Amino acid sequence: MKQKWLNKSFVFKVMNMPLFYEKKQLVTPGDFLAEGNYIAGENTYKDDDKIYASRVGLVDYDARKIHVVALKAFYVPSVGDTVIGKIVEVGTGGWAVDINAPYLAMLRAADVLDRPFGFRTSDLPSIFDVGDLLITKIIAYDRTRDPLLTVREPGLGKIMRGQLVKVTPTKIPRVIGRKGSMISMIKKETTCQITIGQNGLILINGKTPEDERLAVMALHKIEEESHTSGLTDHVTEMLKKKKEGVEHA
Amino acid sequence: MPKRKTEKKKLNIPQKNPEKLIAKDDVRIDGRKLDELRPVKIEVGVLGNADGSAYIEQGKNKILAAVYGPKEVHPRHLALPDRALLRCRYHMAPFSVEERKSPAPSRREVELSKVIREALEPSVFVEYYPRTSIDIFIEVLQADGGTRCAAITVASLALADAGIPMRDLVVACAAGKVDGRLVVDLTDFEDKEGEADVPLALMPNLNAITLLQMDGGLTVDEFEKAVNLAIDGCRELYKFQKEALKSKYVAVKEAVEE
């Protein structure tokens, strides 16, 4: 594996496109990452032929593209994402939902009700009220208008019970793990149901508060140590140790 | 120590204070060399409730910065259709200076808020998040000259800590003329008793200046030298700034990999 990578960097030199950082190296905004014919990926930008980092994160690249895996960022809505949000306002034709993004999302009453929506006949607060938590999906969004949500899909709707954990949205892929390895491990070890919102909110439903507490601990550990290697093993180890501790007590 | 005054009386006024600000062997009143910075300590992510935060101690200066955003703009009508609204509040705590300062924003604070905002704005990708606001709060806990520079340095870190995409970090440092000599990073006393003060903010990787002011009198030649001195100071300070931003993550990594 390592050998392969060395060969690649050799290729870069031949093509006269210098790179100034190794993979997984920590960079800060403004760090000059590469010069030449690369594509500036996530959390980087291009000025003439020079590519700079725009966030704190870890460098990663392939033959054509260089990007930075951010260590801290906020959620930017994207169509198709499942997100967890909180109702902050009940309007005349729908609800305003805080989805932990720079923009408030809208949930239209017509998309929630089965029957035609009428101002007099439909009592919106009785369906969702301010403070209610929802699992929703983004169905439309561009930066000129606020994101639009839906709850008309299986698995979506009001959250009745469970615990919420907030992590930095950029760490969601790490929480899921490669092909879901991390999350399925946590589910198995703690026997909790876990719903992940792409906006950094995670819902945990366990049989006992103790199970939920374990899952919360695991998620916090992932967030804190997301930029280290061998994390799945560390988390598994921690969970097993904690479980034993509980059984003995 | 003289009390902090709002207006600086300088420009060709002969020096009234007979005290030497620079000793014969080029040592300043606080023991520094002419081109030496005050000791700095920077910490990132010190506040739990803000989206990003940082704290700096530069000599006797102690400054906290917090960043919120991007988020919806309140009041709504201030929102810009094509970019984020960057707002900045520079505030000095009543106990930050020797004689209690009124907590209400003074003329000087309003001006510095604007100056700091304009020094930071070129570094932020405001066009990425239209109709939102990014709010920066700077609280000076203790002041000893050069607070605008230190404020820019921490505020930039707080922005980076909030995960806001930036072209570069912004570092700021002042140079000036004291006792007829050019010096870097002036203290409050040197600033008031000296002849000139040149605060400068720099984006070190892009080699771009985002703030350049001058108070007092310098010849063209001296001004150029002062600018270069301030740039060198910025570059030195940048090392600490970058280190502080990284150390938050490096510490965790080392602890885990042990």
Side-chain angles (χ1 to χ4, degrees):
Chain A
M1 188 66 193
K2 194 162 188 183
Q3 194 54 44
K4 217 172 166 184
W5 180 124
L6 285 175
N7 287 339
K8 263 193 195 169
S9 68
F10 176 66
V11 174
F12 290 158
K13 264 184 205 154
V14 172
M15 289 162 81
N16 200 19
M17 300 197 293
L19 271 158
F20 303 113
Y21 289 89
E22 286 170 29
K23 276 189 185 184
K24 292 218 168 171
Q25 205 171 341
L26 187 59
V27 291
T28 56
D31 278 349
F32 181 19
L33 302 180
E35 191 167 15
N37 222 352
Y38 289 105
I39 297 168
E42 267 174 38
N43 304 317
T44 65
Y45 70 96
K46 204 166 186 177
D47 188 15
D48 288 332
D49 256 0
K50 294 172 175 166
I51 294 177
Y52 301 90
S54 66
R55 277 198 173 109
V56 184
L58 307 175
V59 179
D60 196 10
Y61 52 81
D62 55 36
R64 290 187 316 119
K65 194 167 156 187
I66 184 156
H67 67 110
V68 169
V69 181
L71 288 173
K72 199 170 172 191
F74 42 85
Y75 175 67
V76 178
S78 162
V79 174
D81 279 2
T82 301
V83 295
I84 293 174
K86 185 170 156 191
I87 306 271
V88 288
E89 207 179 303
V90 186
T92 46
W95 297 267
V97 189
D98 176 8
I99 53 165
N100 195 27
Y103 307 96
L104 274 183
M106 301 308 295
L107 178 62
R108 286 197 301 227
D111 292 336
V112 177
L113 298 164
D114 301 329
R115 56 206 153 73
F117 167 71
F119 289 107
R120 288 175 195 287
T121 51
S122 313
D123 180 27
L124 297 188
S126 69
I127 307 167
F128 299 132
D129 205 353
V130 172
D132 283 356
L133 293 164
L134 304 175
I135 302 174
T136 64
K137 200 169 194 179
I138 299 174
I139 47 172
Y141 168 70
D142 62 66
R143 270 182 285 184
T144 62
R145 275 201 272 146
D146 288 335
L148 205 60
L149 302 175
T150 185
V151 286
R152 296 196 104 173
E153 253 175 63
L156 304 185
K158 195 154 140 185
I159 296 171
M160 307 309 274
R161 56 186 211 91
Q163 281 197 51
L164 271 185
V165 180
K166 205 170 184 176
V167 299
T168 307
T170 45
K171 287 173 186 170
I172 289 293
R174 201 76 161 111
V175 171
I176 295 169
R178 196 165 291 158
K179 288 183 187 164
S181 61
M182 180 75 88
I183 196 67
S184 53
M185 184 278 290
I186 298 175
K187 280 180 184 168
K188 205 181 94 198
E189 290 293 328
T190 63
T191 64
C192 286
Q193 266 185 33
I194 301 175
T195 311
I196 295 176
Q198 293 295 325
N199 58 343
L201 289 160
I202 301 168
L203 177 69
I204 302 167
N205 263 313
K207 283 185 198 110
T208 66
E210 198 49 49
D211 290 342
E212 286 181 1
R213 205 179 60 84
L214 273 175
V216 172
M217 264 170 58
L219 292 172
H220 281 313
K221 190 178 170 75
I222 296 167
E223 178 173 31
E224 211 159 279
E225 300 172 8
S226 67
H227 55 296
T228 60
S229 49
L231 189 58
T232 312
D233 296 339
H234 282 148
V235 176
T236 319
E237 204 178 300
M238 183 199 77
L239 282 177
K240 286 204 167 126
K241 216 182 254 172
K242 293 278 171 192
K243 268 207 305 200
E244 269 171 31
V246 169
E247 274 155 25
H248 287 303
Chain B
M1 230 172 96
K3 87 178 217 196
R4 174 167 278 274
K5 61 192 173 187
T6 43
E7 297 299 325
K8 287 174 185 172
K9 36 180 202 274
K10 269 175 197 168
L11 279 174
N12 304 329
I13 296 171
Q15 233 188 351
K16 282 174 192 159
N17 195 334
E19 191 188 335
K20 276 278 193 188
L21 290 171
I22 296 176
K24 272 183 196 136
D25 48 352
D26 283 357
V27 175
R28 292 203 252 167
I29 38 175
D30 55 358
R32 281 186 290 160
K33 281 179 248 148
L34 300 183
D35 59 350
E36 193 179 335
L37 296 173
R38 284 174 282 185
V40 255
K41 197 187 113 191
I42 311 179
E43 241 176 281
V44 174
V46 286
L47 303 173
N49 294 337
D51 294 326
S53 60
Y55 173 70
I56 190 170
E57 282 180 15
Q58 186 171 10
K60 286 180 194 153
N61 286 321
K62 291 183 180 177
I63 306 175
L64 254 179
V67 167
Y68 289 86
K71 58 178 167 51
E72 320 83 64
V73 189
H74 284 293
R76 268 264 165 83
H77 69 271
L78 291 176
L80 304 169
D82 59 339
R83 64 199 153 98
L85 176 70
L86 193 65
R87 291 188 286 199
C88 177
R89 188 187 85 144
Y90 166 96
H91 182 248
M92 290 177 89
F95 48 80
S96 63
V97 280
E98 220 145 273
E99 196 150 315
R100 180 183 180 272
K101 185 207 147 287
S102 158
S106 63
R107 194 214 95 248
R108 178 179 170 275
E109 285 168 287
V110 174
E111 179 188 322
L112 282 188
S113 300
K114 175 183 178 288
V115 158
I116 292 168
R117 189 192 75 227
E118 287 174 356
L120 293 170
E121 198 153 12
S123 76
V124 179
F125 282 103
V126 280
E127 61 276 19
Y128 282 10
Y129 307 101
R131 301 182 299 115
T132 64
S133 71
I134 299 168
D135 295 337
I136 306 166
F137 297 93
I138 296 162
E139 201 63 33
V140 179
L141 305 179
Q142 187 170 289
D144 186 33
T147 51
R148 82 190 62 191
C149 292
I152 290 168
T153 309
V154 254
S156 181
L157 279 176
L159 282 167
D161 183 47
I164 290 164
M166 295 160 81
R167 275 172 253 270
D168 199 348
L169 292 173
V170 185
V171 222
C173 181
K177 191 176 162 191
V178 173
D179 259 2
R181 306 290 298 274
L182 291 173
V183 296
V184 76
D185 193 15
L186 286 77
T187 61
D188 189 45
F189 191 73
E190 288 174 320
D191 182 22
K192 275 172 194 147
E193 304 302 324
E195 293 101 281
D197 176 33
V198 183
L200 178 144
L202 180 78
M203 292 198 279
N205 291 296
L206 306 179
N207 217 10
I209 291 171
T210 64
L211 167 84
L212 181 57
Q213 295 183 305
M214 180 167 82
D215 186 4
L218 287 175
T219 65
V220 174
D221 195 39
E222 281 172 335
F223 177 71
E224 201 183 318
K225 278 184 186 147
V227 166
N228 285 323
L229 206 56
I231 289 178
D232 290 345
C234 284
R235 294 210 182 276
E236 184 69 26
L237 209 53
Y238 176 62
K239 290 180 200 158
F240 293 104
Q241 197 189 21
K242 198 170 168 172
E243 207 45 54
L245 192 51
K246 281 183 171 181
S247 67
K248 190 179 155 188
Y249 301 100
V250 172
V252 177
K253 194 164 186 172
E254 278 170 0
V256 171
E257 281 168 7
E258 251 172 31

